[in-house]
Amino acid sequence: MKNYKFVINGTQYEVDILSLEGSKAEIEVNGTHYVVEIQREVKQAKTPTIVRSTVKEPQKEIEKKSGGPKTAIKSPLPGVIVNIFVQPGDIVKKNQKLFSLEAMKMENEIKAERDGVVSAVKVTPGQSVLQEEVVIEMN
């Protein structure tokens, strides 16, 4: 395995390490075989060990509110509202037409992204809107 030469009190020793398993080593010193136990100083790791406290489980269930947050349907482009297909209180399904918008000489139909209930209509047909202006609010 490894060969070393030591000089102790003027005497030269040739040491061959034959095997090393855990704290036991087989060595040969000037042709004589030995089994030795190695005592090593345990070095402390440089990185400290972080001990975290356990997370406490909540004592009661979290109550979910019905309705959820309002969703603002905004105008994707500046233009003129041509038609509004819904009124406050209407139940809307996903992909249902909400309003049509004329922008850049083209009429665009804006559809619902999810199911919900219309809570407010903020514009009227013929009204000009800016980009990102809220047109309809849904629950």
Side-chain angles (χ1 to χ4, degrees):
M1 199 167 177
K2 291 187 178 183
N3 300 328
Y4 296 96
K5 291 186 181 181
F6 296 102
V7 177
I8 302 173
N9 294 331
T11 307
Q12 182 173 342
Y13 298 94
E14 289 186 29
V15 180
D16 294 327
I17 299 176
L18 304 173
S19 68
L20 178 63
E21 292 181 21
S23 63
K24 301 265 184 189
E26 287 186 47
I27 63 170
E28 191 174 290
V29 180
N30 291 342
T32 308
H33 187 77
Y34 296 97
V35 176
V36 296
E37 186 175 327
I38 300 171
Q39 294 180 352
R40 295 182 183 174
E41 182 180 316
V42 178
K43 293 182 181 180
Q44 190 173 8
K46 291 181 182 179
T47 306
T49 303
I50 298 174
V51 179
R52 295 185 177 148
S53 60
T54 58
V55 177
K56 295 179 183 176
E57 293 293 325
Q59 294 178 352
K60 63 177 184 173
E61 279 192 36
I62 298 172
E63 296 176 19
K64 292 184 180 180
K65 293 183 179 179
S66 61
K70 290 187 177 182
T71 302
I73 312 299
K74 299 177 181 180
S75 173
L77 299 166
V80 177
I81 301 295
V82 176
N83 201 353
I84 298 175
F85 302 110
V86 294
Q87 297 176 10
D90 287 355
I91 297 173
V92 176
K93 299 288 182 190
K94 184 176 179 178
N95 292 325
Q96 181 178 336
K97 293 183 208 176
L98 298 176
F99 64 95
S100 61
L101 172 75
E102 184 181 311
M104 298 186 293
K105 299 183 181 180
M106 291 182 63
E107 191 170 326
N108 302 290
E109 289 183 346
I110 309 304
K111 298 180 179 181
E113 293 180 357
R114 63 175 181 86
D115 295 348
V117 178
V118 176
S119 60
V121 177
K122 303 284 189 176
V123 296
T124 58
Q127 182 178 339
S128 294
V129 292
L130 297 174
Q131 184 173 355
E132 297 296 313
E133 185 175 336
V134 177
V135 178
I136 295 175
E137 286 183 348
M138 284 179 34
N139 285 336

